[in-house]
Amino acid sequence: MAERMLQRVVSLSRWSPLAAMVVAVYSAVALHGMVFAQRVAAAEAVDFARDVAPIFAELCYQCHGPDKQESGLRLDQRAAVFKGGDTGPLFVAGSSKTSELVHRVSAADDERMPPPGPTSKALSAEQVARIAAWIDAGAPWPESVAGSSHWSFQPVARPEPPAVKDGGWARTPIDRFVLAPLEARGVAPSPEADRYTLIKRLSYDLIGLPPTLAEVDAFVGDIAPDAYERLVDRLLDSPHFGERWGRHWLDMARYADSDGYEKDNARPDAWRYRDWVIDAVNSDLPLDRFTIEQLAGDLVDGATPLTRLATAFHRQTLTNTEGGADQEQFRVEAIFDRVATTGSVWLGLTVGCAQCHTHKYDPISHEEYYRLFAFFNNADETDGDAPLAGEALVKWDAERAAAERKLRELTPKLEKTRAELAAGVPEWESELKGSGSAPLQFHPVELVAVESSAGAEFKQFSDGSYLVTGKTPEVDKYTITARSDLAEVTGFRIEVLAHPSLGGHGPGRTEHGNFVLSEFRAFAAPTREFKDDHRVKIAAAEADFSQGGFPPANAFDGKEPTGWAVGSQEGRDHAIVLMAKEPIRGEQTPWLQLVLSQNHGLKHTLGRFRVSAVTGRDPLFGLPKNVRDILAIKPEMRTAEQTIVLVDYRVSQDKQSRELADDIQKQRERLAARPEMRVRVLAERNDKRRASHILHRGDFLQPDAEVRPGTLAALPPLQPRGEAADRLDLARWLTDPRHPLTARVTVNHLWANLFGRGIVKTPGDFGVRGERPTHPELLDWLASELVARGWSRKAMIRLIVSSAAYRQSSAVRAELVEADPLNDWLHRQNRYRVEGEIVRDLSLSVAGLLSPKIGGPSVFPPLPPGIAELSYANNFKWKTSEGEDRYRRAMYTFFKRTAPHPTLTTFDCPDANTTCLERQTSNTPLQALTTLNNDAFVDAARALARRLLAAPVKDDQERLAQGLRWCIARPPSGDELAAFAGLLADSRRWYGEHGEEVKSLVDDGPSGGAAATGAAPAEVAAWTATARIMLNLDEFLTRE
Amino acid sequence: MKDVPAMEFDPDLTISNTRRQFLTSAASGLGGLALAAALDGDGLLSANSASGASVGVNPLAPRAPHFAPRAKNCIFIFMEGAPSQADLFDPKPKLNELNGQKLPDSLVKNVRFAFLKKDTATILGTKRKFSKHGQCGMELSELIPHLGSVADDLLLVRSMHTDQFNHHPGQLLMQCGRASFGLPCMGSWLTYGLGSESQNLPGYIVLTAGRGSSGGASLWQSGFLPSVYSGVLFRNSGETVLNLQNPAGLPSPLQRKGLDVLAQVNRQRLEQMHDPEIANRIASYELAFRMQSAAPELIDLSGETQATQDLYGVDRKEPDLKAHRGGGPGQFRSFATNCLLARRMVERGVRFVNIIHASWDHHSNLDTELPFNSEMADQPIAALIKDLKQRGLLDETLVVWASEFGRTPLGENRGGSESVTGRDHHPYAFSIFMAGGGVRGGQVYGETDEIGWAPVKDPVHVNDFQATLLHLFGIDHLRLTHRFQGRDFRLTDVAGEVVEPWKL
């Protein structure tokens, strides 16, 4: 405990003086439990890399490796091993009997290596024997690339496919690599799976959807020799191929729709990268280019928004926005993740292990780790523009087409009405002017009374104006009663006047002097009694000045919230003239009442004003100034532009034309919207570039020596384009055909997705501690083939699925269960449950509910209650999608890292917090409960029942067979049919007697519509209960 | 039910029987090999099962530990957010004496805080009175009188410390042994190592109450272990487990009949394909069916006496606190119910029950919200300990109260504010307590300095606590490992020492 305690005390010592500064020493990882899969057959030659090096790495490096050389002994380098330790050489080649090494690893406790201890394990007799055999064979230590003799660091060879006896079985070179060792063991490969299984297998593997019955029957009946190849091509060309294989990649990209950590905020743009991946897979973007764009799409020649979007691969890292979090710490954490992910995905190495110290087993030094780190240290997290994609693009395209269509339809209409209005200009003009004009004149009126609705007081000046005093209410209404002896009144003028006693010198009563005249009403009556029918209609208004948004017309629009104001020109006199529609006859209605409503609030009331009556008429009153000016010009003197201004004005005054013009404007705006969105990407930092340092024990607060970007010495040298290597150089280095790892690791991923397991069973660890390939030559041949085929994903998949090895039956062979329990020999295909997304996709698909839409923003299918609430402080609301978005493929379900959809996680979908190279395939009761009872699956059962009831078949037997074939492709056996017929019969009896339950089973849920089948509800219920069990068949959920 | 044929399903085809059948079936020949691949000499799953060697073996079958265990079950009460130890567990008279004073610069120079501003922060005393409880004289705050009544059963650790001072990373460290994603939680490791004793319920159950926690679902994940070792979220009302109830209108007899047909057809496939995974699937559906009755029975408290319900305080009146943290109606009932459910789960063989309650992050309003939370938790937890004891279950059940870290002796002056009503994150010292499961009660372990800043005696790191917890279950934390990406991982990362004095 002491060492550990002292380590801990370091963190306390910041305060506590009692703590000693002790350099922390990384203690050992547990070293036990290793069981080597590989057995050395006595007859086989000893292979140091395969048989001996792993023992050293496993059990000896801890004290005699790259970090520590106790007793001067180092076992990871050839020269050092042959030199021995402080006590002399370890062995003489060829003679294990006298070897100190063999002696020590097989000695009794007091001398034994590794020394006995709680975490220590002695070598097994078999391991000792292997070392002895190696020494006896002369201790061969193969020449290696830069010091590592490990198999995966050696250049990719292109082995010749071995000779086989049963040459007729082999369909591709792959098969000879598989068959030769099987023949050597005296084992025949499994027979080819039947046609039903083959089409189901290919459909599940390549597009993740079940084949339709028509497709099954067509394939089964297709006797042409290339039927299989055509099927493969059809599936590879399906747009769903990009979904299926894109999802494999998204596992590695740790793709999600939220930030992660405490707040776990949504990333509404994340889907755009997902769609990039789908598109790239569908268009078979070569895997080397695919790699380059994702790691350095911002740096490639001719970078485009799409190549920059690809860098979102490394924006899938988590973002910690927890209060008080040190942003530099989490910036560094994100880079750690980028380094580890890059290492796992392309190198197949546990590079992340070297974050705190030199890798225990593989040739990755602490310094080299930070050289890799340096590639990413100046890649800033930024936003970029990306063209829309998928559904959003389709939607935008459709909108644009609709807008164009609309424009084509509207434009001639408007042109027509414009032409009419243009033709009518002379008539309109003469009508305007023909009514005659007389100069406007302003006359004082005899004021009888003035009142404030809010209790303000009025002080009359000799010029007839009123100053408002007393309390200053928020809103007010002044009612002025007057008499006029004019024969004809055509309007009113209200002067609003400055005064030094007012705030800002008025004319309003606010501190700054503004006001809002929200509504002006006038009445003209024979006596002093004013009624509604005495109301004077106002036709137009003009003011000497008006504030933006407060034009004079607002003072008579009948709306209290709008009004006329003079903001920015306070402190001066202004006036508004409001002209009546019809002149007021003075003899008949000498009594006038003017109501000035000032409802804006915040004391925007008038402080000083004067009212006058208007006589005379101006036919152009109220027209915009430019229109008036043009009308003042003789028609024959007007320019074409001036005429257009007049027509424009007429259009604006004509309701029908105005609506047309507005609509056209709206369509133009729809066209103008740029089909782009902001996305999270990486961009290289140019200014204030960060220096990179080795971080002591991975602590961002403890920078050590400075390092420059670089790769691993054990691998081929980096060849930077310029002086300083950048991410593009890293990506090009990875995809150099001479790189021993990338192609091997990549074909292993492809293989794993077609066989359930890779040729190397630890896809993320091709290092010393990883599993060795079950078929090393096959792996190398495939790797070389990948390069030869231009890094084409589709070509490699086509090649692999064409092999006889792939086409084998997956039935377990009892006679081989003991000899090859995990099918390492590939003596058959493998059987495994499909991934979580596919489980749901399959059910929705056979039910006819699955939406085929590809891409677009993530969707929110129904979520059980109480799940979104699990996220931090209930900061997340799940807005359930409507319509077909409830039934999209599960890969489009919004993935919230701290509260993922339980249907996904129950079926082992990765949590997206770190890269996932290999999914678990568990088998739990929660999965059974999901496919039995979850709403989406029950909906599928209901829909499948409806689909079955609508099928043109003659009886129950045929109907049951049809349902089963939709699920499992093959015709069911008699026993299977009988079992389901029993369930159907029992269900019918039950629902015949339980009408209430019929109602809840059949009518429940959004996918109702049972009546459309024409069947009685009880019948629909019985078929629903039966269909539900079909959807739970192991064979349906299993890729065989 | 008369029209539906009686159950046809072979009741012997349970998980363990399925397994036995396969292991002993001469025809399949799987027997010895699969067993050997799954179990190493220690009786625990071996490290190489990453490659999927455990074909055909129920991954939840009970397994023997490394050595004789003291505890068989654990109830881990996780108080997310970091309760203030200075106001609950660790009395510091000096704190009140120094109230309002600054710490010397030399002490805070190299210390990081989340929100607190060092230059103006001052020590914040506590308003809480501490008094001695039990024969042992354990000093506890007035906020937790009921826990005081079981002081002689408590092991109070005042010298915990951790490496992380942000919530989510701190929670990952406490649950998974290291502040990284993708690692299994404590409950996953225990069920991975020991299997499940329950025939009808999951081995690792999570109960949450109140608002969501920072860590969300990552606090009960199985990481690189198969998801069968993930915590299963139970609710204390409504549908206990997701998708537990049959669809509306689908009664249990038809469910049974459907599952019989399913098993029959699946068995036919099994005969053709000989894939043991099909048998596992049949068994999973049977366990699911049993859970459908066992889980509702579990949360149905009608069989509990009023006295028991009163002991836990299920029907207590809840103070009316409209706090933005913690409060909200039904907290008291929900928490008390969870404690009672935890006992019922342990009685039914559930290995690891994790009660998660989130809202102890008292940067402010400490004096209103901490009393609310404490009152909520105090009586039910004390009742749980008493109840387990009176039923003879405490000896084998380890009850733990813990959080991700503690709170500062300094008052929080976020943004330099002068109004101080709470405390900031404090990883350097905090308190947890345990009871039962082979720990020696009536014991205070470890000491902090005069203001509770850091341990001065017997510091315990989170990994040490985890090592000890595994030890109580008969597991050597160095030997319960799982190889992932070439490395043998364990709950205690690269550290952890068993704290011997904790043991009975």
Side-chain angles (χ1 to χ4, degrees), chain A residues 858-863 868-869 875-883 885-886 893-894 896 901:
Chain A
S858 293
V859 296
F860 301 83
L863 183 74
E869 290 76 4
N875 69 353
F876 180 56
K877 298 284 171 281
W878 184 273
K879 273 198 198 149
T880 304
S881 297
E882 296 299 327
D885 277 352
R886 296 167 79 95
T893 300
F894 188 91
K896 163 95 172 163
H901 199 293

Side-chain angles (χ1 to χ4, degrees), chain A residues 4 8 11-12 14, chain B residues 82 159-167 169-175 177-179 403-406 425-430 455 459-463 466:
Chain A
R4 184 60 193 176
R8 298 302 188 194
S11 65
L12 309 177
R14 291 170 180 154
Chain B
S159 51
M160 291 297 300
H161 61 102
T162 179
D163 310 329
Q164 297 291 331
F165 67 74
N166 291 125
H167 292 292
Q171 290 161 22
L172 288 172
L173 178 60
M174 178 54 83
Q175 294 277 3
R178 176 173 148 177
S403 185
E404 63 266 34
F405 36 69
H425 304 172
H426 194 71
Y428 312 110
F430 64 106
V460 181
H461 186 264
V462 172
N463 290 147
Q466 290 160 338

Side-chain angles (χ1 to χ4, degrees), chain B residues 184-412:
Chain B
C185 294
M186 228 182 283
S188 305
W189 279 113
L190 270 183
T191 42
Y192 171 68
L194 300 175
S196 171
E197 301 282 348
S198 174
Q199 288 296 306
N200 306 325
L201 292 169
Y204 172 13
I205 295 181
V206 181
L207 288 160
T208 70
R211 71 173 195 173
S213 64
S214 314
S218 67
L219 301 188
W220 54 88
Q221 72 205 350
S222 62
F224 49 70
L225 291 177
S227 60
V228 69
Y229 302 112
S230 290
V232 175
L233 194 63
F234 268 50
R235 300 111 189 282
N236 59 26
S237 60
E239 197 177 37
T240 330
V241 178
L242 276 183
N243 306 312
L244 190 71
Q245 286 166 12
N246 289 344
L250 202 131
S252 186
L254 266 192
Q255 174 84 327
R256 183 64 263 165
K257 172 67 187 177
L259 292 182
D260 289 345
V261 168
L262 182 64
Q264 186 189 334
V265 176
N266 281 346
R267 260 186 303 210
Q268 285 180 25
R269 195 65 184 159
L270 175 57
E271 281 160 23
Q272 290 157 358
M273 304 304 286
H274 310 289
D275 179 358
E277 207 51 28
I278 304 178
N280 281 343
R281 182 146 355 262
I282 295 169
S284 287
Y285 275 80
E286 287 312 308
L287 178 51
F289 184 75
R290 291 197 303 277
M291 269 174 70
Q292 287 194 289
S293 40
E297 184 275 335
L298 171 76
I299 69 157
D300 176 9
L301 301 183
S302 59
E304 298 288 339
T305 63
Q306 194 57 45
T308 300
Q309 301 204 29
D310 290 347
L311 181 67
Y312 283 85
V314 173
D315 297 318
R316 284 175 301 167
K317 187 170 161 9
E318 180 169 307
D320 183 23
L321 177 69
K322 290 200 179 59
H324 66 289
R325 273 190 296 267
Q331 294 279 299
F332 275 43
R333 164 177 288 276
S334 187
F335 190 85
T337 303
N338 283 351
C339 288
L340 177 50
L341 286 178
R343 189 216 81 212
R344 290 171 65 87
M345 289 176 186
V346 163
E347 282 177 321
R348 285 157 181 75
V350 177
R351 180 77 64 195
F352 193 87
V353 183
N354 194 177
I355 297 176
I356 298 180
H357 182 267
S359 42
W360 297 78
D361 191 19
H362 297 131
H363 290 279
S364 57
N365 298 330
L366 181 72
D367 289 332
T368 47
E369 295 184 13
L370 184 64
F372 179 91
N373 280 2
S374 305
E375 190 182 345
M376 173 202 75
D378 178 43
Q379 184 183 339
I381 298 177
L384 174 63
I385 292 168
K386 287 176 190 162
D387 196 18
L388 287 169
K389 195 171 184 178
Q390 78 192 8
R391 288 165 197 263
L393 292 167
L394 190 61
D395 291 345
E396 293 190 335
T397 303
L398 180 67
V399 179
V400 183
W401 153 306
S403 185
E404 63 266 34
F405 36 69
R407 305 208 79 84
T408 49
L410 293 168
E412 171 162 331

Side-chain angles (χ1 to χ4, degrees), chain B residues 106-117:
Chain B
S106 59
L107 300 192
V108 288
K109 193 171 65 182
N110 292 320
V111 176
R112 291 169 69 196
F113 294 105
F115 294 101
L116 204 141
K117 297 292 161 227

Side-chain angles (χ1 to χ4, degrees), chain A residues 507-757:
Chain A
R509 300 189 78 191
T510 56
E511 274 177 30
H512 40 79
N514 202 3
F515 66 90
V516 177
L517 177 60
S518 39
E519 204 62 21
F520 171 85
R521 288 184 206 89
F523 298 85
T527 64
R528 203 180 162 173
E529 284 183 31
F530 302 98
K531 295 181 185 145
D532 277 352
D533 54 1
H534 297 135
R535 177 86 177 263
V536 177
K537 286 199 177 116
I538 304 297
E542 282 185 9
D544 67 317
F545 171 78
S546 63
Q547 181 181 342
F550 294 84
N554 281 2
F556 68 98
D557 59 1
K559 295 174 194 153
E560 287 286 351
T562 66
W564 172 62
V566 299
S568 86
Q569 287 205 9
E570 296 93 338
R572 298 184 217 170
D573 297 347
H574 296 286
I576 182 172
V577 174
L578 301 117
M579 297 300 285
K581 238 178 185 143
E582 304 290 339
I584 302 162
R585 304 273 161 227
E587 311 85 54
Q588 286 155 29
T589 52
W591 285 92
L592 299 172
Q593 188 177 66
L594 310 179
V595 180
L596 311 184
S597 181
Q598 302 146 70
N599 251 332
H600 184 78
L602 302 170
K603 306 188 171 68
H604 280 75
T605 55
L606 284 167
R608 186 177 165 218
F609 63 91
R610 177 167 60 189
V611 297
S612 315
V614 181
T615 59
R617 64 187 69 207
D618 173 0
L620 305 184
F621 185 89
L623 293 181
K625 186 165 185 313
N626 58 340
V627 175
R628 261 171 107 144
D629 291 346
I630 294 166
L631 286 172
I633 304 169
K634 284 187 179 152
E636 59 273 21
M637 302 294 287
R638 289 174 198 153
T639 65
E641 287 78 27
Q642 286 169 332
T643 310
I644 289 172
V645 171
L646 292 184
V647 179
D648 282 347
Y649 174 72
R650 292 206 70 201
V651 167
S652 75
Q653 297 301 300
D654 179 68
K655 187 161 175 279
Q656 195 199 343
S657 306
R658 194 174 60 231
E659 281 170 4
L660 271 172
D662 287 353
D663 203 358
I664 285 173
Q665 183 55 29
K666 222 168 65 194
Q667 301 308 328
R668 292 213 170 109
E669 280 165 14
R670 274 169 81 187
L671 276 181
R674 291 166 67 212
E676 280 190 347
M677 60 184 288
R678 300 292 282 172
V679 286
R680 281 151 227 252
V681 294
L682 289 181
E684 191 68 6
R685 186 186 190 89
N686 291 318
D687 296 334
K688 297 184 188 161
R689 286 177 62 85
R690 301 180 188 92
S692 300
H693 296 268
I694 296 174
L695 301 179
H696 179 63
R697 292 189 53 77
D699 183 350
F700 78 110
L701 294 175
Q702 299 188 59
D704 212 320
E706 187 171 337
V707 291
R708 289 164 55 85
T711 51
L712 310 180
L715 291 167
L718 180 74
Q719 291 171 325
R721 304 175 331 286
E723 200 175 315
D726 63 12
R727 269 180 293 123
L728 181 55
D729 294 314
L730 174 68
R732 289 159 54 116
W733 173 77
L734 283 170
T735 53
D736 187 311
R738 284 160 298 178
H739 198 292
L741 285 164
T742 310
R744 281 187 176 121
V745 168
T746 302
V747 292
N748 194 54
H749 291 150
L750 299 177
W751 187 273
N753 288 325
L754 295 167
F755 281 85
R757 263 204 315 273

Side-chain angles (χ1 to χ4, degrees), chain A residues 13 21 140 187 278 323 362 381 386 560 607 671 680 685 779 817:
Chain A
S13 70
M21 286 301 295
V187 172
I278 293 174
D362 295 327
E381 301 191 348
E560 287 286 351
L671 276 181
R680 281 151 227 252
R685 186 186 190 89
L779 182 72
V817 161

Side-chain angles (χ1 to χ4, degrees), chain A residues 43 244 341 357 360 368 428 456-457 551 569 637 702 716 764 905:
Chain A
R244 179 76 168 119
T341 299
H357 52 78
K360 294 280 173 200
E368 283 173 325
W428 166 66
E457 289 156 28
Q569 287 205 9
M637 302 294 287
Q702 299 188 59
T905 48

